[in-house]
Amino acid sequence: MATKGYAILASCLLIGLAGFIFGLAALLSAPQKCANAEPRSIRVVWERVGDGVVSDGDGAGIGVDPRRRRRQKVMGFVGIQTGFGSVGRRRSLRQTWMPSDPQSLQRLEEATGLTFRFVIGKTNDKSKMLELKKEVAEYDDFLLLDIEEEYSKLPYKTLAYFKAAYALFDADFYVKADDDIYLRPDRLSLLLVKERSHSQTYLGCMKKGPVFTDPKLKCGSKEKKKGGGGGGGKLVRSR
């Protein structure tokens, strides 16, 4: 009887020890935010050249944190254009191809040589800005531009994005994408590796001919069919 009791006791101890080890392993493997980790989201402010400003070469500049003055070297910077009404779209991307926690996102970026950020402007709506601030704090995957987030100002936002991306990242390629796409980071990385041997590369639609401002004019114009027009995805070789 004593031997049987010792066997039961030993079995209980082993089960308890196994549970402790499993719990400890789960705790250590869970994504955790490091208190000393440098924030990944960046707020860009257009200012005159001076302290804390990265010059863009034409008398203006980009105000950034002084710690970010040195441009980060990457193969490609991918800016996902988004807006205040696209919370659901960003959630869908984070649930599919774009990791939702900073550690997993960093691993993806290191594996592909690409950097991914949601690109968004600002609004006078304080409640929307507050919600954005909470989202930035939770996911830390934004590039915040100092420009009004309005549909009529999308061309200015695109220009501001490329200027900010170039000032902050020393990339071989700068990619503009919309938030309604399903991206394959691995395939994009392979494509960029193949294109690295070319000194000038542009992938995407490029408008030719006059600029149309009539809101009643449909996008399927002859100019667009000839190779012009807009589009949500663009890839530009930096050098």
Side-chain angles (χ1 to χ4, degrees), residues 6-72:
Y6 285 130
I8 295 175
L9 180 60
S11 299
C12 292
L13 288 175
L14 287 175
I15 293 174
L17 181 60
F20 174 76
I21 294 175
F22 177 80
L24 182 61
L27 180 63
L28 293 176
S29 62
Q32 300 178 18
K33 289 188 177 181
C34 180
N36 298 323
E38 182 180 355
R40 301 170 64 81
S41 294
I42 308 172
R43 181 173 180 268
V44 178
V45 182
W46 302 100
E47 299 175 350
R48 293 184 178 182
V49 177
D51 292 337
V53 174
V54 179
S55 172
D56 64 6
D58 61 358
I62 302 176
V64 297
D65 190 318
R67 293 173 298 177
R68 295 186 179 274
R69 287 186 182 182
R70 186 174 183 179
R71 297 166 71 204
Q72 181 181 344

Side-chain angles (χ1 to χ4, degrees), residues 206-223:
M206 183 176 290
K207 178 65 183 176
K208 294 182 179 180
V211 177
F212 298 100
T213 59
D214 185 357
K216 297 180 181 179
L217 185 64
K218 294 185 178 181
C219 295
S221 64
K222 293 182 179 179
E223 291 294 337

